[in-house]
Amino acid sequence: MNQLLTDTLHTAPIMGTIVLALVVILINAMKKDSLALEYWVSLIGIAANIGLAVWAFPLRGSAFAGTVMTGGFASLTAAVFLVAAGLTIILSRAYIEKIGVNFGEFFHLILMGAAGMMTFAAGTDLVVTFVGLELMSICLYALAGISRRVHKSNEAALKYFLLGAFASGFFLYGIALIYGMTGTTNILGIAQNIAAYKSEPLFLVGAGLLLVGFAFKIGAVPFHMWVPDVYEGSPTVVSAFMSTGAKAAAFAALLLVFTATFDFIHSSMNTVLSVLAVASMLVGNIVAISQTNVKRMLAYSSIGHAGYMLIGITAGGDVSMAGVLFYLISYMFTNLGAFGVASIIENAEQQGTDLENFRGLYYRRPLLAVLMGVFMFSLVGIPPLAGFFGKYYIFVAAIENGYTWLTIVGVITSMISVYYYLRVVVLMFFQAPEEAEAPQVTSGGTIALLVSAFGILLVGLFPSIVLGWMGGLF
Amino acid sequence: MYQYVGLIVLFPLIGLFINGFFGRKIKNETLVGMIGSAAVGLSFLVAAGIFVEMLGMPEDGRSHVVTLFTWIAAGSFKVSAAYQIDQLSILMTLVVTGVGFLIHVYSIGYMHGDRGFWRFFTYLNLFIFAMLNLVLADNYLLMFLGWEGVGLCSYLLIGFWYDKKFPGTGITWTGDAANKAFWVNRIGDFAFMIGMFLIFREFGSLTFREVMGGAETLAVGNNTMFWITLLLFIGATGKSAQIPLFIWLPDAMAGPTPVSALIHAATMVTAGVYMVARNSALYALAPTTMMIVAIVGALTAIMAASIGIAQNDIKKVLAYSTVSQLGYMFLALGVGAFTAGIFHVMTHAFFKACLFLGSGSVIHAMHEEQDIRHMGGLKKVMPKTYWTFLISSFAIAGFPPLSGFFSKDEILWKAFSDGSLVLWIIGASAALMTAFYMFRMVTLTFEGEPRWAKDKHPHESPATMTIPLIVLAGLAILGGFVGIPAVLGGGNAIEHWLHPVFAQAHHTMALSEHSSHTTEYLMMGISVVIAVTGFWFGRRMFLADPEADKRIAAKTGFLYRLLSNKYYVDEIYNGSVVRPLVRTSESFLYRVFDVRIIDGAVNGLAKTTGWVSAMMRYVQTGVVQNYAALVVLGLVVVLGLLIFS
């Protein structure tokens, strides 16, 4: 009993978020027109849970018989997901009213999804990892289709669900094979005798299947096909949450399983990872050029960014793992901001996120345009914004570990990406204003965007602080 | 208190932000001016506090490095935003903030009514900020940041009245003059950078302390040191307007006069001198460079002084005079008299700032008239300006016991005792010319009968302008007393103060003991005679006949034309460098290389990428079955790679 209490306490951020999600759905069930109340309860609860994560940070170890990690890495990633959830909720408040899906379960699903992400990223037993993955994914399937009268949204949800289920199958099959080979699903247990399995074909097949499951969730080429369709079709704030929280969770789990534990450095697994990285960088960045819809463009851009982060996973070592985490944090702020702006531009019919709609935005909504500019520049990786240091640390780590050629591909594709990111900036600032009405901006939306921009600047100007949190995490 | 060195740099930055962001909204000129001035004044107070504290410290414990934060760390390359406070940097800081403060106050009066009033003070504060970084930096990179920063401010301020005409060789607008200054400085900056890279390669560090420490083990005549010091010196010839890069400074007079006083006389142009002095230990290892420095300095001194004789624009005379005085400073550095060079930087800051501000006061009174041939008799209407201008003229001419006498005499003496007789003769001749052109200018401007148009009503300037003049004139009188040489019974306090900074260089150079006192007295006597002679001729000739220039021109013919046309240096540069460069750039680099090759390649690449992108879109069919098939295909590839590679 005592052990159970300690374990629960040490996994407080996850537990707290689940409780919070339940409280929110209960409020929704028991009280009419309770959206505002749920909104504030969610935000206050998230703040409290971030506090719990900070509190739990020094409590490094594991809980529940070694199946969940506590403190350190788990706390840091939990805080990232909570911030992403919080910002998404703030952005959603006005958005879901605008598109007419102001249901209370919206916040519940976001919170439950965040709890799933935390479990996903903190699981040290592959079964727990899988449970987290599913908890997260199911919430996202529902969120993608929450705008049930919109055809595109339904399509997105269905596609995401079908392909997601497909990928989960691979994931589970991989776990099964690994269990068959090693007799355990605990990744620390697997790690102990890793040298013995490393070149066993059956173990490799298991690891490969697992990797495909991960690659699907992070949207790496060639498992990326769902990304543009789903990001475009889903309500924009949901795309924001998916592209930041879900992607970050998958990366964190991938980092934990493949780099920190399986220790595949300089093996055939690295060949696979680098092939995925290069394919993602090339396809994501090149196809993004010919997109005319900003949400779709951001979807391809997120495929490209998955490629950059895969460089970090490939390179391995403490520096590059810290680099990947750093990248996730900077990418979280940046992409939330970018999708956030798109969600404000969007109209009630969930349309109007074409590049054309950004034309002359500066003359209609100067602040919005400037913020979007910051997000675009951060995505390009212009110093001193966060995006620059994210790429910088990953590239440096890659060069130090002998992956100079990956860095070269990364730099070239970054240059390609300048074209489509800056096109948005050019349209907003240097083109004649469109006759359209200025989009409605709520104070909540502005705050969320300002927080994102502020986060980008803060992380970019003082990268050493963020890196400091990662000292000795691995 | 030295820990608070960051404040010295912070105050101008705050002033810059306040005036930069809110200056346009603050309608009150005085408030803008006071914010700008107070920012520099507070810096001066902090610097003075540190100075007093240093006086109380033991001689070898006065050097401190205060690290604010790590600026760049990449592998073994690490640079901090760190300030080095020692005898040299605090002296420069005091001069920069002290003289800077006075010039800020002066500008409140001078810039009155200008539509860019707040912009002016913003730039001035930015300049002080950059200059302080330059002199306080503990490493080359931060120094370079300041070095570029002052260059930028110089550019911004030369072209401050960007819509004003400013005639010159190849120049029509003030903006052209600003560009010229910027471009010429780029040449020097490029050399500075290469020098910096060489330093990093040689010593593996960019902090002064580590580099000087590394230099201790090197032998005199080291080849790398020759190149490093030479490249740094080329950098200095740009910033400090020495042959061959001096041509920008006279045209920099297009800027408002307080700018000429602050940037193009008292502080920025002495950055090169400071930089060489800061690297004295490296220069001591390269006797060849030292010789080059001395020769360039001496030649610049005499060349600029001779041009100054034949100029009629009051600011142009002062500009050439500045170039010439900077030449003296480099002459001092070149013969190893680093203290004398820095001493002259200080005294020159006092009297030259006073002269420039005085000329500004005159220009102000004469309603933008700058030609001294159209002045005369101004001493009656503007006595304060006259007296301060006169005192400073005596100081620059080297009349004892004014400040210029001590510093210039020290340089000439060192040029003779540690250099050669030839260097001394060049320096002394330049001194004669200096006295001559200064009193030609004083006489034409203030003495004799008025030659200005009847509709002009010159008047004394307001107190915000005259008080700085009086303070600076006071400093021009007293400033030299910190460097009274031993033969005159003085303690030469400044030499004593700076000794620890240059100890390493002096140790390396192992200069012999000086010649007898009799020689020193003799040389000093000659100096005074030279100054008096120049004064006498300059005054007599132009008091008797304000148009004496014409007679001289008629008598000397080509020689005079050569001087009044500044040895045609601008024309030669234009013909030999600028125009061929422009022509090649246009006909080959632009039309062929850029348009055909570069643009062709870039556009081709962009087109190809766009095409690939459009093709790849077709893969995205939107049909889930296709997507699932691709996932399976991907899986096969992944497993194949895993097992068979």
Side-chain angles (χ1 to χ4, degrees):
Chain A
M1 190 60 204
N2 203 9
Q3 184 63 37
L4 184 64
L5 209 67
T6 320
D7 286 350
T8 313
L9 207 60
H10 284 195
T11 52
I14 302 180
M15 299 301 173
T17 310
I18 293 174
V19 170
L20 177 64
L22 294 176
V23 168
V24 168
I25 198 73
L26 282 176
I27 296 175
N28 186 51
M30 295 193 282
K31 196 168 174 294
K32 265 194 168 179
D33 297 328
S34 56
L35 201 65
L37 180 65
E38 285 168 51
Y39 174 71
W40 287 111
V41 168
S42 304
L43 287 187
I44 293 164
I46 282 173
N49 278 309
I50 292 174
L52 285 177
V54 173
W55 169 79
F57 189 72
L59 304 172
R60 275 184 213 162
S62 62
F64 297 114
T67 55
V68 180
M69 198 186 217
T70 60
F73 184 82
S75 280
L76 186 64
T77 50
V80 172
F81 307 139
L82 285 167
V83 171
L87 290 173
T88 308
I89 288 177
I90 301 175
L91 282 168
S92 326
R93 180 76 172 92
Y95 179 80
I96 55 177
E97 299 222 9
K98 177 164 75 181
I99 66 167
V101 293
N102 40 344
F103 316 123
E105 60 261 38
F106 192 90
F107 299 144
H108 165 78
L109 286 169
I110 298 256
L111 290 168
M112 214 37 136
M117 290 165 190
M118 291 179 217
T119 318
F120 188 21
T124 49
D125 190 294
L126 290 173
V127 175
V128 175
T129 310
F130 181 71
V131 169
L133 167 67
E134 285 304 294
L135 180 57
M136 168 186 100
S137 303
I138 291 167
C139 292
L140 293 177
Y141 301 150
L143 280 169
I146 200 160
S147 184
R148 56 200 164 153
R149 285 192 196 84
V150 176
H151 182 73
K152 262 198 316 189
S153 182
N154 288 328
E155 185 192 326
L158 193 65
K159 267 186 189 162
Y160 192 21
F161 171 67
L162 285 174
L163 290 167
F166 200 47
S168 291
F170 289 130
F171 196 89
L172 215 47
Y173 195 23
I175 296 176
L177 285 178
I178 289 172
Y179 177 75
M181 199 58 213
T182 62
T184 175
T185 50
N186 189 304
I187 56 172
L188 298 171
I190 299 167
Q192 272 174 0
N193 296 317
I194 193 76
Y197 312 125
K198 236 180 191 171
S199 44
E200 286 292 329
L202 199 58
F203 180 79
L204 283 177
V205 171
L209 287 165
L210 206 57
L211 179 67
V212 170
F214 277 120
F216 178 82
K217 285 293 162 195
I218 60 177
V221 176
F223 311 104
H224 69 288
M225 304 295 278
W226 61 278
V227 175
D229 294 3
V230 173
Y231 283 14
E232 191 193 355
S234 305
T236 309
V237 286
V238 175
S239 311
F241 192 49
M242 279 196 276
S243 75
T244 55
K247 189 177 284 249
F251 261 108
L254 179 62
L255 199 62
L256 205 59
V257 175
F258 273 74
T259 319
T261 313
F262 283 8
D263 187 27
F264 273 117
I265 293 178
H266 300 302
S267 70
S268 56
M269 185 58 82
N270 269 39
T271 320
V272 175
L273 286 169
S274 51
V275 167
L276 293 184
V278 170
S280 305
M281 287 187 284
L282 286 174
V283 172
N285 284 309
I286 290 178
V287 182
I289 290 176
S290 52
Q291 301 306 318
T292 52
N293 181 300
V294 170
K295 279 170 79 178
R296 223 175 153 78
M297 184 200 94
L298 286 173
Y300 279 106
S301 120
S302 89
I303 295 168
H305 284 282
Y308 299 125
M309 286 185 262
L310 276 173
I311 295 183
I313 304 265
T314 312
D318 290 356
V319 180
S320 76
M321 285 192 278
V324 172
L325 272 187
F326 187 94
Y327 203 109
L328 285 175
I329 293 172
S330 73
Y331 185 71
M332 186 265 289
F333 282 121
T334 312
N335 234 31
L336 260 173
F339 270 113
V341 174
S343 80
I344 291 172
I345 302 278
E346 199 173 313
N347 62 21
E349 284 75 47
Q350 278 182 265
Q351 274 166 353
T353 52
D354 285 336
L355 277 172
E356 277 309 303
N357 300 96
F358 283 78
R359 190 183 291 278
L361 182 65
Y362 175 70
Y363 303 95
R364 289 178 279 143
R365 286 274 177 236
L367 181 65
L368 209 55
V370 168
L371 288 171
M372 188 66 173
V374 171
F375 302 139
M376 289 296 121
F377 278 112
S378 179
L379 283 172
V380 175
I382 305 268
L385 302 174
F388 167 75
F389 285 100
K391 277 185 187 158
Y392 173 79
Y393 289 125
I394 283 180
F395 289 167
V396 165
I399 290 172
E400 277 177 1
N401 287 309
Y403 289 98
T404 313
W405 68 279
L406 278 181
T407 306
I408 292 172
V409 178
V411 171
I412 291 174
T413 50
S414 295
M415 276 159 63
I416 295 175
S417 76
V418 173
Y419 173 74
Y420 60 84
Y421 289 130
L422 289 200
R423 186 168 54 186
V424 179
V425 176
V426 171
L427 275 173
M428 289 191 302
F429 288 89
F430 303 116
Q431 301 267 330
E434 200 194 6
E435 284 299 308
E437 267 179 51
Q440 292 298 316
V441 188
T442 57
S443 54
T446 314
I447 288 169
L449 295 181
L450 281 175
V451 168
S452 303
F454 187 68
I456 289 169
L457 274 176
L458 209 65
V459 172
L461 288 175
F462 306 101
S464 45
I465 295 177
V466 180
L467 283 180
W469 298 335
M470 296 166 193
L473 274 194
F474 305 103
Chain B
M1 140 147 233
Y2 65 85
Q3 299 90 334
Y4 300 115
V5 64
L7 288 180
I8 301 181
V9 185
L10 182 68
F11 286 126
L13 193 65
I14 295 175
L16 153 72
F17 277 115
I18 297 178
N19 278 338
F21 285 118
F22 308 110
R24 191 198 292 270
K25 303 225 172 72
I26 305 175
K27 295 282 180 241
N28 189 341
E29 267 188 8
T30 322
L31 188 60
V32 170
M34 269 166 57
I35 291 168
S37 310
V40 183
L42 287 172
S43 292
F44 176 73
L45 290 181
V46 177
I50 293 176
F51 176 67
V52 170
E53 185 195 38
M54 280 168 80
L55 283 176
M57 289 177 179
E59 198 174 287
D60 48 3
R62 285 171 177 165
S63 175
H64 303 277
V65 170
V66 177
T67 307
L68 298 185
F69 56 89
T70 302
W71 183 19
I72 302 169
S76 65
F77 178 74
K78 185 167 177 263
V79 173
S80 297
Y83 296 124
Q84 177 169 4
I85 308 116
D86 65 0
Q87 292 89 337
L88 178 58
S89 66
I90 198 73
L91 185 72
M92 292 298 288
T93 307
L94 284 171
V95 171
V96 169
T97 53
V99 175
F101 172 69
L102 291 171
I103 295 174
H104 272 69
V105 172
Y106 175 93
S107 305
I108 300 178
Y110 190 84
M111 297 303 286
H112 171 69
D114 194 284
R115 65 193 157 97
F117 193 85
W118 62 275
R119 197 160 53 90
F120 187 76
F121 276 89
T122 308
Y123 291 166
L124 281 194
N125 274 178
L126 177 63
F127 168 75
I128 297 282
F129 171 73
M131 189 71 199
L132 288 173
N133 271 303
L134 197 165
V135 297
L136 282 169
D138 95 314
N139 60 70
Y140 290 91
L141 198 64
L142 188 60
M143 183 196 220
F144 188 66
L145 186 83
W147 185 272
E148 292 294 288
V150 293
L152 169 72
C153 294
S154 165
Y155 166 81
L156 290 171
L157 285 161
I158 293 170
F160 184 77
W161 288 318
Y162 46 83
D163 48 3
K164 201 169 122 181
K165 285 224 177 220
F166 184 80
T169 311
I171 282 177
T172 37
W173 297 91
T174 54
D176 299 336
N179 280 340
K180 181 172 174 183
F182 199 74
W183 290 331
V184 173
N185 266 297
R186 297 312 304 162
I187 301 172
D189 295 346
F190 183 65
F192 186 117
M193 275 199 280
I194 301 198
M196 189 161 67
F197 300 157
L198 276 180
I199 286 172
F200 184 71
R201 200 190 67 170
E202 189 68 18
F203 298 100
S205 169
L206 282 181
T207 64
F208 295 132
R209 281 191 171 180
E210 287 176 39
V211 170
M212 300 312 150
E216 264 174 6
T217 56
L218 297 174
V220 176
N222 183 307
N223 196 32
T224 320
M225 285 308 114
F226 166 71
W227 286 107
I228 289 175
T229 49
L230 186 70
L231 286 162
L232 290 181
F233 175 62
I234 294 174
T237 59
K239 193 108 309 188
S240 294
Q242 296 296 293
I243 294 173
L245 300 178
F246 69 96
I247 47 163
W248 65 271
L249 187 59
D251 289 319
M253 297 301 127
T257 308
V259 172
S260 313
L262 177 62
I263 300 185
H264 304 120
T267 55
M268 184 191 83
V269 288
T270 61
V273 182
Y274 167 77
M275 190 264 288
V276 172
R278 177 53 81 199
N279 288 297
S280 57
L282 302 187
Y283 278 84
L285 293 169
T288 323
T289 319
M290 291 285 272
M291 201 172 72
I292 296 173
V293 173
I295 293 170
V296 168
L299 289 179
T300 310
I302 193 160
M303 181 179 189
S306 63
I307 296 175
I309 292 174
Q311 298 303 311
N312 293 317
D313 181 321
I314 186 166
K315 284 181 74 179
K316 281 275 170 71
V317 178
L318 288 173
Y320 280 105
S321 156
T322 304
V323 175
S324 161
Q325 297 298 312
L326 289 166
Y328 276 113
M329 296 173 204
F330 280 102
L331 171 59
L333 299 176
V335 297
F338 299 108
T339 313
I342 294 296
F343 183 28
H344 201 54
V345 165
M346 184 182 90
T347 59
H348 177 255
F350 297 151
F351 56 68
K352 188 51 71 64
C354 184
L355 286 169
F356 261 116
L357 296 185
S359 79
S361 180
V362 168
I363 295 166
H364 204 63
M366 297 294 292
H367 304 284
E368 308 307 312
E369 176 63 74
Q370 302 198 6
D371 194 328
I372 49 177
R373 287 171 300 187
H374 304 143
M375 293 181 185
L378 283 174
K379 78 173 171 188
K380 290 187 200 86
V381 286
M382 35 197 329
K384 285 177 192 155
T385 306
Y386 168 65
W387 280 106
T388 52
F389 202 90
L390 188 69
I391 290 168
S392 298
S393 300
F394 277 121
I396 193 176
F399 274 63
L402 303 180
S403 59
F405 166 73
F406 294 110
S407 56
K408 189 187 282 187
D409 190 64
E410 173 103 6
I411 291 175
L412 288 177
W413 165 242
K414 288 285 166 63
F416 173 74
S417 65
D418 297 334
S420 70
L421 184 63
V422 181
L423 288 177
W424 182 85
I425 291 175
I426 298 177
S429 318
L432 178 68
M433 294 178 191
T434 308
F436 179 78
Y437 69 67
M438 281 313 298
F439 284 96
R440 167 179 174 265
M441 180 168 66
V442 170
T443 312
L444 284 177
T445 311
F446 292 101
E447 315 269 346
E449 291 304 311
R451 294 182 302 279
W452 66 73
K454 292 233 165 49
D455 58 338
K456 283 192 176 155
H457 305 285
H459 51 86
E460 184 58 283
S461 298
T464 48
M465 291 168 68
T466 50
I467 290 171
L469 284 178
I470 293 165
V471 175
L472 283 169
L475 287 169
I477 299 173
L478 303 173
F481 294 143
V482 299
I484 300 175
V487 286
L488 291 182
N492 207 341
I494 189 164
E495 169 129 27
H496 195 64
W497 172 254
L498 288 173
H499 179 260
V501 181
F502 301 127
Q504 192 184 342
H506 286 153
H507 179 74
T508 313
M509 290 165 65
L511 292 174
S512 56
E513 270 307 299
H514 292 153
S515 329
S516 71
H517 281 189
T518 330
T519 329
E520 197 168 345
Y521 282 129
L522 181 69
M523 294 310 216
M524 209 176 276
I526 297 175
S527 278
V528 175
V529 170
I530 285 172
V532 174
T533 314
F535 160 72
W536 181 256
F537 276 103
R539 188 175 159 81
R540 278 300 296 274
M541 277 169 85
F542 291 92
L543 203 55
D545 175 15
E547 300 197 338
D549 281 322
K550 282 184 185 159
R551 275 190 297 128
I552 302 172
K555 265 187 203 155
T556 52
F558 176 68
L559 184 66
Y560 188 82
R561 272 205 313 275
L562 196 64
L563 293 185
S564 68
N565 285 301
K566 308 147 193 167
Y567 295 101
Y568 296 99
V569 175
D570 274 323
E571 283 79 359
I572 293 167
Y573 282 2
N574 268 350
S576 64
V577 182
V578 180
R579 246 173 269 143
L581 207 64
V582 171
R583 227 172 287 141
T584 326
S585 166
E586 247 178 27
S587 58
F588 175 71
L589 289 177
Y590 172 65
R591 276 179 225 286
V592 180
F593 192 71
D594 192 52
V595 173
R596 299 253 172 88
I597 299 174
I598 302 275
D599 282 3
V602 169
N603 289 338
L605 208 63
K607 259 184 211 154
T608 317
T609 315
W611 182 80
V612 171
S613 173
M615 288 298 112
M616 278 159 82
R617 275 180 84 179
Y618 291 116
V619 181
Q620 193 82 23
T621 53
V623 181
V624 183
Q625 289 88 326
N626 293 356
Y627 294 1
L630 194 70
V631 170
V632 173
L633 197 69
L635 176 74
V636 171
V637 172
V638 165
L639 293 184
L641 277 174
L642 267 182
I643 295 169
F644 298 110
S645 77

